[in-house]
Amino acid sequence: MKRNKHLLSGTFLLTAPYIVWMIIFILIPLGVVVFYALTDSVTGMFTLGNLSKVFTGAFPKVFGRSVWYSLVASAICLLIGYPVAYFIARQKPSTQRILYMLVMLPMCMSFLLRTLAWVGILRDTGILNTLLGKIGIGPLHLIRTNGAVILGMVYNYLPYMIMPLYTVIMKIDPLLIEAAEDLGCSSRHVFTKVVLPLSLPGIISGVTMVFVPAVSTFYISQKLGSTSTTMIGDVIESQFKSANNPNLGAALSLVLMVLIFICVGIMNRFAGKDNEGGVVV
């Protein structure tokens, strides 16, 4: 009995810093957002007016655009990231470490600088159009477009797709693949019947890890997009800065958070109970 009490007290002491961290940096800020979302900016009284405004005007369209861009970016990251992760996982350990480091290397640079670099590449007088001009093509209008915003998302969030995929694929027992080949499976069937099902948790994790930051992003759409590519993150930022309406901004943030939880919950349902890819919810 005493031993159990000591174990419980020891566990509590170990988890106490994390609990305090969660209270200060997660629960309290979340409570502030909920408070502002449910109060009037003038009187400070309880109201649902801020939440009702979220579903009027241009807000639903902006929400839909943000979700659509994020899903497209997640799909492209999956198409690019899966072969890359599979290739890395099938190399010898020393090569894996080098390739994994190369995947992580861009993340050592500031997110803002990485996005600004694409502005220099895509603008009308940028690097890409200069090269195209030398071979008689262009200049092409590459920046301030839907494609430029999605490209920025893919570039910035691609490592978040590769990391969980690599982790899951690396854990697949090679003996399972050998057994499938011995039983007469072709390379295509080995992939579709063995590798792909076993890597499904990594796919769900990767899509989640790309979708969540992409749907709430704002800097990428500001620098690479235009007024027609405004995302919900841009609107929330403007409410806190230029519009000086933190109550509506908090309401938009609250609805966005609920939307993200719903999307992540749906993704986790597909992942099943054997999820080893690191989904955060």
Side-chain angles (χ1 to χ4, degrees):
M1 192 71 179
K2 288 184 177 180
R3 185 181 178 184
N4 290 336
K5 287 183 178 179
H6 284 303
L7 287 173
L8 288 173
S9 61
T11 303
F12 176 77
L13 289 175
L14 289 173
T15 57
Y18 180 68
I19 293 172
V20 173
W21 177 276
M22 285 187 62
I23 292 173
I24 296 176
F25 294 103
I26 298 178
L27 296 181
I28 292 178
L30 182 58
V32 173
V33 170
V34 174
F35 172 78
Y36 273 92
L38 299 178
T39 54
D40 184 75
S41 58
V42 179
T43 63
M45 301 295 291
F46 173 81
T47 179
L48 294 177
N50 297 317
L51 291 175
S52 64
K53 291 178 183 177
V54 174
F55 303 99
T56 60
F59 293 133
K61 184 178 180 180
V62 176
F63 269 108
R65 182 188 300 131
S66 301
V67 173
W68 172 245
Y69 284 2
S70 303
L71 289 174
V72 172
S74 300
I76 296 174
C77 284
L78 178 59
L79 291 175
I80 298 174
Y82 196 101
V84 173
Y86 186 85
F87 175 78
I88 295 175
R90 289 294 170 260
Q91 304 304 308
K92 58 184 181 181
S94 58
T95 306
Q96 286 184 26
R97 288 191 289 270
I98 295 172
L99 295 176
Y100 192 81
M101 182 192 68
L102 293 176
V103 170
M104 297 291 294
L105 195 59
M107 299 180 67
C108 299
M109 188 188 301
S110 168
F111 178 87
L112 306 183
L113 291 178
R114 281 181 279 152
T115 305
L116 285 174
W118 276 107
V119 175
I121 294 172
L122 297 177
R123 64 185 179 184
D124 295 342
T125 57
I127 298 173
L128 190 55
N129 269 315
T130 300
L131 294 175
L132 292 174
K134 290 183 178 181
I135 59 176
I137 302 175
L140 303 177
H141 184 61
L142 302 174
I143 203 168
R144 310 298 177 196
T145 61
N146 300 341
V149 175
I150 294 173
L151 174 63
M153 290 181 181
V154 171
Y155 173 74
N156 280 291
Y157 302 129
L158 182 59
Y160 298 125
M161 179 67 73
I162 295 176
M163 287 188 292
L165 282 171
Y166 162 75
T167 303
V168 171
I169 295 173
M170 186 181 63
K171 292 179 181 178
I172 297 177
D173 192 344
L175 294 177
L176 295 175
I177 298 176
E178 291 180 12
E181 291 173 342
D182 290 341
L183 292 171
C185 287
S186 62
S187 299
R188 180 171 63 86
H189 283 98
V190 168
F191 177 76
T192 56
K193 301 296 184 181
V194 179
V195 178
L196 189 60
L198 291 175
S199 60
L200 184 60
I203 294 174
I204 301 298
S205 297
V207 170
T208 304
M209 293 177 68
V210 172
F211 176 82
V212 170
V215 75
S216 57
T217 190
F218 60 94
Y219 191 77
I220 295 174
S221 50
Q222 286 180 6
K223 294 302 178 182
L224 299 178
S226 62
T227 54
S228 62
T229 60
T230 300
M231 298 182 65
I232 194 61
D234 303 313
V235 179
I236 293 173
E237 185 199 26
S238 68
Q239 294 301 318
F240 281 97
K241 286 187 175 181
S242 56
N244 195 25
N245 192 351
N247 298 79
L248 181 56
L252 289 166
S253 302
L254 188 60
V255 173
L256 177 61
M257 183 175 59
V258 172
L259 179 64
I260 289 175
F261 279 142
I262 292 172
C263 293
V264 171
I266 293 172
M267 293 175 187
N268 285 344
R269 291 282 294 179
F270 284 103
K273 296 181 180 180
D274 299 324
N275 193 340
E276 299 177 356
V279 174
V280 214
V281 175

